[in-house]
Amino acid sequence: MSVLIDRNTRVIVQGMGKTGRFHTDKAIAYGTQMVGAVHPSRAGQTELYEGETDHSGVPDRSDGYRVELPIFRTVNEAVAATGAAVSVVYVPPPFAADAIMEGADAGLELIVCVTEGIPVADMVKAKSYLASRRTRLVGPNCPGVITPRECKIGIMPGYIHEAGRIGVVSRSGTLTYEAVHQLTQVGLGQTTAIGIGGDPVNGTDFIDCLELFNSDPATEGVIMIGEIGGTAEEEAAAWITENMTKPVAGFIAGTTAPAGKRMGHAGAIISGGKGTAADKIAALEAAGVRVAATPTDMGATMLEAMEG
Amino acid sequence: MKIHEFQAKELMAERGIPVPRGEMVTTVAEAVAAVAPLTEATGNPVVVVKSQIHAGGRGKGRFAEDPELGGVNVVLDGIEGGVEAAKRKVGELAARMLGSTLVTVQTGPEGKVVNRLYIEQGIDIDRELYLSIVLDRSSSKNIVMVSTEGGTEIEIVAEETPEKILKAEIDPGLGLLDFQARELAFGLGLAGTAWKNGVRFIKELTEAAVELDTDLVEINPLVVTKAGDVLALDGKMSFEANALYRHPDVQDMRDLSEENAAEIEASGYGLSFIKLDGTIGCMVNGAGLAMATMDIIKYVGGEPANFLDVGGGADKDQVAAAFKIITRDPSVKGILINIFGGIMKCDTIAQGVVEAVAEVGLEMPLVVRLEGTNVGLGQAILDQSGLNILSAKDMKDAAEKILEATRS
């Protein structure tokens, strides 16, 4: 079991630039069912992906792969032809919000947006557009979602992951890799790792992921990795107090970050003076979350939380 | 991206939003020359001389060279002495302010050099209010915030009397609706002409904020005059970096002299760099990991000299540039490189480090912690380089090693 994605997930890619093609290849090598791509002016063509199978991914496969990915004009057409329910977005920032809304209009269940640098105003609109639709957005500005040994959507290195017992949710990319790597090393592994992204306006938040992991029978514990700014961690802490039945470990980056740098003047006002690492750590600890003192201790802290 | 008060007022004036009349000057002569046209046009003999720097708290701030002198000065000499007296006083103030260092709560103790002044008309203030437009991250919408407590820092109002802050959500599709502006203006206790002007001000400023992709607009104080006019006595605007490509006119307002030179240089290489006060320089891939690296340096008893994120796909040139920027800082006593290779391969980073050291030289301890993709290859490159590089097994080990090396 896992959340959001598994071995049956069929994925289309929006944004077939250099980055999109590179990671599509890595996803196929991992064993992800990439079934189509969207490009307005290259429809009707196919794009060939072949190479050596990444054996850290989906097991029991031959050593090589060869996939001819069909290209469609629109997401609607791609969904109709392939039955895909999930897309991954690598579209450049000025056009990414539109790509997200196109995916939502096509009725996708899940859109994973990797793109970094989307204007906030565009995301405010896209999020408002999504509010009345069934589509879940993960990201933007995130590494993606991975269910080890089943499906990898995004830019994370597959081989550091191992199928296991812990749900991972994080606002940071490489810090997620650090956590995942440590969970693999201590033998806990991951059910699913979700990068929710570092932007102020994102689709899926900590609470959404905690809810998913709490209901997933295979997930025995959760590690959440936050950072300074906003109040998402404090809100998650309140949710954990009320609802969480599984052990949660955490880490908050930015204890030493100076105030006022890239942190909007008003963020703290709206939240009544919240937004510092110290506040977030205090809120999480008050909710019974075991917070790692340093990023080196994330795996060990999760183990301690599991042992109670 | 931040801009100056005079630029924010220029953007407002272009959009018909009421602001006091004023002129930006960079010399004493210009300051003196600005006085007479202002007092003639407004009929008000009072003028104000305002320091233009990218930091708040200017009114309460003091000059390092001239501790009696504040960053904003109201010149009343014209009331009795006429325009010549006002000009004399403005000239005297401009001479003391220009080129001097203003220290405010937001500049830090080092302060900022004042290179520009804004000479502005005096206003007959009846009430001081507060207005801002910001992103509310919890609702993912922009909101308009107003308060009757103008002139006070909004954080203090939020802390002490949160009931005095009124908010309205801006619908992403429809904008701020008329009734919301009316409600906010009523909430500010405005009536009659002032209420009508207040409604219009709130509507128009909101439209401007949306049009310009601001990430913060703050008018503190927003003043009501005895005649019922509503205008922006101060004006702060900053812009969302990701949307600047849509606003070349705003981009042109960037004042590089207000920013840290190393941060500007780093951004030119696609590096995210923030200068800090410590002695351990760091180079990391990924913002979260970079922050966590600073944290762990502090945790083991050191102080980070910078935040530096080389990004997810840095190449050798970027690594070399990052290395040069770090080593140029005279307070840096040692360097910690922390890389979790994902897309970025450890051997690429290792090669970049070796080449950068060969080019720049290395006169201080360097600890490198590599993990992830091609870690073995990367480690081998460092080991075979013949350079004096200490390797670390994890982040804590790396932090402890660099601290020890810089102490001995």
Side-chain angles (χ1 to χ4, degrees):
Chain A
M1 281 292 285
S2 57
V3 303
L4 296 178
I5 60 171
D6 60 25
R7 71 188 75 240
N8 300 313
T9 302
R10 294 163 66 79
V11 186
I12 54 170
V13 54
Q14 296 177 256
M16 292 294 283
K18 191 173 159 231
T19 309
R21 290 201 303 272
F22 179 83
H23 292 292
T24 298
D25 185 61
K26 296 284 179 207
I28 294 170
Y30 193 79
T32 305
Q33 292 190 54
M34 299 301 302
V35 295
V38 179
H39 197 288
S41 57
R42 288 173 54 205
Q45 303 172 14
T46 58
E47 194 155 274
L48 178 66
Y49 291 92
E50 57 184 336
E52 279 176 36
T53 301
D54 173 359
H55 286 292
S56 72
V58 176
D60 305 326
R61 290 174 301 150
S62 59
D63 289 339
Y65 61 88
R66 183 186 162 84
V67 173
E68 284 198 48
L69 206 64
I71 302 176
F72 302 92
R73 290 185 300 184
T74 67
V75 178
N76 258 306
E77 290 178 1
V79 167
T82 65
V86 176
S87 83
V88 56
V89 175
Y90 294 108
V91 173
F95 319 107
D98 184 65
I100 291 167
M101 292 189 275
E102 184 186 356
D105 180 69
L108 290 170
E109 285 169 22
L110 174 67
I111 298 171
V112 178
C113 183
V114 172
T115 308
E116 178 178 2
I118 305 176
V120 171
D122 293 9
M123 278 312 302
V124 166
K125 286 190 181 133
K127 187 139 188 203
S128 170
Y129 186 86
L130 288 172
S132 58
R133 287 167 176 81
R134 61 195 285 258
T135 307
R136 172 190 294 283
L137 170 69
V138 171
N141 189 14
C142 79
V145 184
I146 183 168
T147 293
R149 301 283 179 193
E150 299 195 35
C151 182
K152 168 178 130 69
I153 300 175
I155 61 173
M156 69 292 279
Y159 75 93
I160 59 171
H161 299 77
E162 190 49 85
R165 300 149 64 192
I166 305 299
V168 180
V169 53
S170 170
R171 280 169 67 183
S172 151
T174 42
L175 202 48
T176 315
Y177 307 163
E178 192 80 42
V180 161
H181 184 64
Q182 290 176 28
L183 291 173
T184 298
Q185 282 180 326
V186 299
L188 286 170
Q190 308 88 40
T191 48
T192 301
I194 309 169
I196 59 174
D199 276 5
V201 176
N202 59 7
T204 295
D205 61 17
F206 281 118
I207 295 177
D208 298 324
C209 298
L210 290 166
E211 231 169 344
L212 288 167
F213 287 131
N214 210 23
S215 324
D216 172 39
T219 300
E220 294 172 34
V222 178
I223 185 161
M224 58 174 281
I225 297 150
E227 58 193 39
I228 52 160
T231 55
E233 292 82 359
E234 287 89 332
E235 286 152 25
W239 190 90
I240 288 168
T241 305
E242 292 294 314
N243 304 288
M244 198 73 192
T245 59
K246 299 174 183 179
V248 182
F251 178 72
I252 302 293
T255 307
T256 52
K261 284 280 184 185
R262 291 190 78 182
M263 248 206 326
H265 180 46
I269 299 162
I270 298 161
S271 53
K274 292 183 185 175
T276 64
D279 282 353
K280 291 170 189 297
I281 291 167
L284 289 172
E285 284 180 340
V289 174
R290 205 175 280 249
V291 180
T294 81
T296 300
D297 306 318
M298 291 189 287
T301 305
M302 188 72 242
L303 258 187
E304 284 169 26
M306 297 290 281
E307 284 155 7
Chain B
M1 186 194 94
K2 290 178 181 173
I3 59 172
H4 290 290
E5 173 196 4
F6 77 89
Q7 294 167 317
K9 285 180 170 171
E10 198 176 299
L11 289 170
M12 286 191 257
E14 281 169 11
R15 286 158 183 79
I17 299 165
V19 294
R21 206 181 269 257
E23 194 174 334
M24 192 277 288
V25 300
T26 57
T27 65
V28 175
E30 284 174 5
V32 172
V35 176
L38 257 189
T39 54
E40 277 162 32
T42 63
N44 187 336
V46 179
V47 294
V48 186
V49 183
K50 306 172 97 173
S51 305
Q52 299 292 293
I53 55 169
H54 283 188
R58 291 168 296 160
K60 292 190 182 112
R62 291 291 177 268
F63 284 92
E65 300 86 349
D66 204 345
E68 299 290 298
L69 187 65
V72 174
N73 295 287
V74 180
V75 177
L76 301 171
D77 301 42
I79 300 174
E80 287 184 356
V83 70
E84 287 308 317
K87 281 162 77 172
R88 261 196 311 278
K89 182 69 178 177
V90 167
E92 182 206 313
L93 284 167
R96 288 165 71 187
M97 294 165 78
L98 282 169
S100 299
T101 307
L102 183 61
V103 181
T104 81
V105 287
Q106 291 185 12
T107 60
E110 70 277 15
K112 273 181 183 267
V113 175
V114 174
N115 296 314
R116 293 182 166 78
L117 298 173
Y118 195 50
I119 314 296
E120 194 171 67
Q121 74 172 105
I123 300 287
D124 281 328
I125 298 170
D126 183 29
R127 294 181 63 204
E128 295 195 11
L129 308 171
Y130 173 93
L131 170 60
S132 68
I133 301 163
V134 290
L135 175 71
D136 175 17
R137 293 167 62 155
S138 296
S139 66
S140 296
K141 291 193 170 86
N142 287 303
I143 59 168
V144 180
M145 265 196 311
V146 300
S147 166
T148 51
E149 306 304 291
T152 309
E153 274 182 57
I154 197 67
E155 289 87 348
I156 295 168
V157 182
E159 184 74 21
E160 291 171 2
T161 50
E163 72 281 0
K164 289 187 175 165
I165 298 178
L166 306 174
K167 296 173 188 173
E169 226 169 55
I170 304 171
D171 185 281
L174 303 172
L176 187 77
L177 302 167
D178 290 349
F179 80 87
Q180 292 177 299
R182 293 199 300 270
E183 283 180 355
L184 290 172
F186 280 128
L188 286 170
L190 298 174
T193 311
W195 177 80
K196 277 187 194 152
N197 288 331
V199 171
R200 203 172 66 218
F201 189 98
I202 293 168
K203 278 282 289 180
E204 286 175 352
L205 188 67
T206 307
E207 278 163 20
V210 171
E211 176 214 327
L212 289 165
D213 286 306
T214 59
D215 66 5
L216 170 69
V217 177
E218 189 177 52
I219 312 296
N220 191 17
L222 170 71
V223 297
V224 184
T225 67
K226 298 205 167 81
D229 292 324
V230 172
L231 68 172
L233 195 63
D234 194 6
K236 184 197 273 186
M237 277 192 193
S238 67
F239 299 86
E240 209 252 310
N242 293 337
L244 273 177
Y245 73 92
R246 296 199 275 239
H247 307 285
D249 51 330
V250 172
Q251 274 186 59
D252 290 343
M253 292 182 160
R254 184 169 176 190
D255 182 353
L256 292 176
S257 71
E258 289 285 328
E259 299 175 28
N260 180 292
E263 291 177 16
I264 297 167
E265 186 188 352
S267 71
Y269 287 100
L271 306 167
S272 177
F273 175 85
I274 293 169
K275 168 91 179 74
L276 301 170
D277 298 329
T279 57
I280 314 279
C282 34
M283 186 195 307
V284 189
N285 65 329
L289 195 63
M291 272 192 280
T293 304
M294 287 158 44
D295 296 348
I296 205 163
I297 289 169
K298 176 95 175 176
Y299 182 84
V300 301
E303 291 288 344
N306 65 276
F307 167 95
L308 199 161
D309 171 14
V310 293
D315 57 28
K316 281 182 287 190
D317 292 344
Q318 284 172 300
V319 172
F323 203 81
K324 283 180 207 163
I325 290 166
I326 294 172
T327 50
R328 203 183 300 142
D329 179 350
S331 52
V332 171
K333 303 280 178 268
I335 302 172
L336 168 52
I337 297 179
N338 181 22
I339 302 294
F340 200 108
I343 304 319
M344 182 196 275
K345 297 182 179 72
C346 289
D347 50 331
T348 306
I349 283 283
Q351 197 59 47
V353 170
V354 169
E355 283 174 22
V357 170
E359 197 185 324
V360 186
L362 181 65
E363 276 147 26
M364 60 181 83
L366 169 64
V367 172
V368 180
R369 180 272 180 147
L370 297 175
E371 188 56 85
T373 307
N374 292 357
V375 60
L377 289 174
Q379 202 58 59
I381 290 170
L382 295 181
D383 293 345
Q384 288 156 20
S385 69
L387 296 169
N388 184 21
I389 297 173
L390 298 163
S391 294
K393 64 176 164 50
D394 60 35
M395 284 172 75
K396 198 188 273 174
D397 184 42
E400 282 164 353
K401 279 199 169 121
I402 191 64
L403 196 66
E404 196 192 314
T406 53
R407 275 179 180 160
S408 56

